[in-house]
Amino acid sequence: MTEITHMKQPVLAAAGGMVERDVLYSTQDLAAILGVSPRTVERWRQDGRGPKVTRLYQNAPPKYRGLHILEALEASAER
């Protein structure tokens, strides 16, 4: 698990501020984790940027696996 230190409290409070690798997060959850608006997350998805999207069935709302969120954060980190 990777600790996120600047989290909005309600989003991951149950997980102790951690992004769980095998949990599916909603667009709103991801926006709160990253500190951006849900609309920004939607725009990234439309542009093919950001974490990979998981859909549980055709036309299901997008979900984001914690593993993919962590991978996207790692890939976007400045070196």
Side-chain angles (χ1 to χ4, degrees):
M1 291 183 244
T2 302
E3 186 169 352
I4 306 294
T5 57
H6 58 286
M7 303 296 298
K8 291 184 180 177
Q9 184 61 25
V11 180
L12 296 178
M18 307 291 264
V19 174
E20 298 288 338
R21 298 172 68 82
D22 294 325
V23 171
L24 293 176
Y25 295 93
S26 69
T27 298
Q28 293 75 19
D29 292 339
L30 179 58
I33 289 167
L34 299 178
V36 300
S37 73
R39 181 66 190 118
T40 297
V41 173
E42 292 169 6
R43 189 170 48 253
W44 290 344
R45 184 175 62 246
Q46 292 168 353
D47 294 345
R49 300 184 300 157
K52 295 177 187 175
V53 175
T54 299
R55 293 189 188 263
L56 299 177
Y57 53 89
Q58 190 175 17
N59 298 321
K63 298 290 184 181
Y64 299 89
R65 188 174 305 280
L67 172 65
H68 297 151
I69 295 170
L70 296 172
E71 288 173 349
L73 287 171
E74 183 68 27
S76 69
E78 292 185 16
R79 305 223 181 254

